[in-house]
Amino acid sequence: MVTYGAMLEELYQEIILDHYRRPRNKGQAAPADMQAKEYNPLCGDEIEVTATLRDGKIADVKFDGHGCSISQASASIMTQKLIGKTLPEAEEFIDRFLKMMRGDVPFGGKEMGDLKALEGVLKFPVRVKCATLAWNTAQSGIRQKGKKL
Ligand code: ZN
């Protein structure tokens, strides 16, 4: 018997694979008003995040790098979530996602969309670093930018 939980898991798997195979916003944003690069030694994932800012908002954000399907899919989903946000809004959104991945706040809430697919990663603590790599990278990019402003 196929349970509802198993069906949901399969759907989430599909979302992750779709973003991995057809990454959104992959490459380099130009001009890069913000840039950061981080590495997850546990898995060998590498992510670079670049963003173009306009009128105080993230007009474009792209990721580049390589690694496992979770790290790349999470980066792809993240770029879709950050476009159009101001830096404080982006920082808040990132912070909330990182708290969810640490289990500090319940998973879910507004603006989740494809991000829901990453909930399953919580069951595999060793993979959490894969899912949060892009987000930590974007966060450090925003913080560096904040210091310069
Ligand atoms: Zn990984």
Side-chain angles (χ1 to χ4, degrees), residues 103-140:
D104 291 347
V105 298
F107 206 90
K110 60 180 170 118
E111 276 190 79
M112 289 300 281
D114 285 354
L115 269 184
K116 284 290 280 173
L118 293 166
E119 184 173 11
V121 177
L122 285 172
K123 279 185 269 174
F124 307 97
V126 71
R127 308 306 298 278
V128 167
K129 282 228 178 328
C130 303
T132 55
L133 179 63
W135 301 75
N136 282 317
T137 308
Q139 191 179 53
S140 64

Side-chain angles (χ1 to χ4, degrees), residues 27-79:
Q28 301 272 333
D33 299 314
M34 195 190 98
Q35 185 272 346
K37 193 173 186 175
E38 283 188 21
Y39 178 64
N40 168 19
L42 289 178
C43 183
D45 310 316
E46 207 176 279
I47 297 272
E48 180 180 18
V49 175
T50 47
T52 304
L53 306 176
R54 201 177 301 134
D55 302 326
K57 284 185 177 166
I58 298 174
D60 191 22
V61 55
K62 287 195 161 60
F63 82 96
D64 221 342
H66 55 86
C68 69
S69 58
I70 292 171
S71 68
Q72 304 299 302
S74 183
S76 171
I77 298 168
M78 179 190 79
T79 60

